[in-house]
Amino acid sequence: KRAIAGLGFQREILENLQMTFPKVGFEMTWDFFKSKNPDYTDKQLAILEKENGDITYVFNGNRHFIECCFAMGTEVSRLCEMKRQKFVGENKWYCYGFAGTKEIILIPSFVWRKYTETIKPSDRSCRMVPIKAIKGIRAGCKSLESYWSTVHD
């Protein structure tokens, strides 16, 4: 159920990016890497996706990556520890969506990693992040347009 909702959110963000910025070539990261090397296995592509997020594009000669996270609960959201460790860089942002709302927030990966270090892991695989913490990040952008102007203007 969570995976289906997450994939739906990811497709919705990709489509919204493509409609909002039609001159930019947004694509799924999986497809980007598969086009670079058709011999990649699904396992190799999954590892690349953990490190590089779900959506990618090039703007002004620089490649950017967006990791889509969909919060199903109303109190906390799971954050994969492997992704938290590997998805870091100035060109990498998290995009959170929330069940029951169209609200989104985009957060720079280096800011999110630093903040989530303060949250104790619930087990080896994830950390449970309070929804209010996600929505309250000052460095976050609350729309795709705000993200774009922050990153590219």
Side-chain angles (χ1 to χ4, degrees):
K1 185 176 176 184
R2 187 172 64 229
I4 292 169
L7 287 172
F9 175 67
Q10 183 177 315
R11 275 192 298 275
E12 182 180 322
I13 293 298
L14 177 63
E15 289 168 7
N16 287 340
L17 284 164
Q18 290 169 331
M19 285 188 302
T20 306
F21 308 103
K23 293 182 178 172
V24 180
F26 297 96
E27 62 184 322
M28 293 295 188
T29 303
W30 185 287
D31 297 336
F32 166 71
F33 282 111
K34 189 73 170 173
S35 72
K36 294 286 181 206
N37 183 349
D39 295 329
Y40 276 142
T41 64
D42 285 355
K43 183 177 181 179
Q44 289 170 313
L45 290 166
I47 291 167
L48 286 166
E49 192 178 57
K50 287 264 190 250
E51 295 174 5
N52 297 290
D54 299 311
I55 298 170
T56 186
Y57 65 96
V58 173
F59 188 77
N60 285 343
N62 296 310
R63 182 156 295 280
H64 299 268
F65 299 93
I66 298 172
E67 170 60 28
C68 297
C69 302
F70 190 69
M72 297 282 291
T74 57
E75 299 295 319
V76 294
S77 179
R78 293 173 55 89
L79 176 61
C80 170
E81 186 62 19
M82 183 189 298
K83 188 154 292 192
R84 192 187 82 78
Q85 292 289 333
K86 293 186 177 278
F87 187 73
V88 179
E90 273 193 43
N91 62 337
K92 296 180 178 182
W93 285 60
Y94 286 89
C95 179
Y96 271 90
F98 308 92
T101 176
K102 290 293 184 188
E103 192 177 1
I104 64 167
I105 186 163
L106 290 104
I107 305 167
S109 65
F110 60 89
V111 170
W112 194 232
R113 181 165 184 213
K114 188 165 181 67
Y115 172 77
T116 56
E117 282 175 0
T118 66
I119 298 170
K120 191 175 177 189
S122 60
D123 60 34
R124 286 192 339 226
S125 68
C126 73
R127 294 175 194 239
M128 301 306 283
V129 183
I131 299 290
K132 66 181 181 187
I134 299 168
K135 292 181 176 183
I137 292 287
R138 286 192 307 265
C141 299
K142 302 215 178 204
S143 70
L144 296 177
E145 294 83 359
S146 173
Y147 159 78
W148 195 263
S149 64
T150 299
V151 175
H152 300 300
D153 289 345

